[in-house]
Amino acid sequence: MSTTRTGQQRTALATVVSDKMDKTVVVEIERRTRHPLYGKVLLRSTKLKAHDEDNDCRIGDQVEVTECRPLSKTKHWRVSRIVARAE
């Protein structure tokens, strides 16, 4: 994950891939990593559920997510801001 630490909270830039749930969005974080033996640059992705209090996010939006306390069984991230809207 391309995360940065600000104090104790981790933040990451992600893309919204699903907004069908109430107050929850599924976001995908893409990172570039190098193969340990062959050195080829690979694109890896991680899907997370993030809390979207106002249901503002739409599919394709670029958002910044911040790690927080567990809000449900699988939701441990919160949408802190919308960086760019989908076209």
Side-chain angles (χ1 to χ4, degrees):
M1 267 185 279
S2 62
T3 59
T4 58
R5 283 195 179 270
T6 56
Q8 288 289 18
Q9 294 182 339
R10 289 194 302 174
T11 61
L13 289 175
T15 306
V16 177
V17 293
S18 174
D19 62 350
K20 294 185 184 298
M21 293 174 276
D22 186 31
K23 296 188 179 183
T24 303
V25 291
V26 178
V27 297
E28 185 173 49
I29 298 172
E30 288 189 342
R31 64 192 185 282
R32 296 162 68 91
T33 182
R34 197 168 279 279
H35 189 278
L37 179 61
Y38 300 114
K40 181 181 168 106
V41 176
L42 304 171
L43 196 62
R44 299 289 186 201
S45 63
T46 304
K47 285 186 181 179
L48 305 168
K49 290 184 180 74
H51 185 67
D52 179 21
E53 182 65 35
D54 301 326
N55 287 324
D56 284 339
C57 297
R58 297 290 168 251
I59 294 176
D61 289 352
Q62 293 288 330
V63 295
E64 182 182 87
V65 291
T66 306
E67 195 173 35
C68 64
R69 65 180 177 83
L71 300 170
S72 69
K73 180 181 175 183
T74 59
K75 190 162 60 166
H76 311 281
W77 293 79
R78 186 182 309 265
V79 175
S80 54
R81 67 185 177 105
I82 298 173
V83 177
R85 289 283 185 184
E87 295 177 2

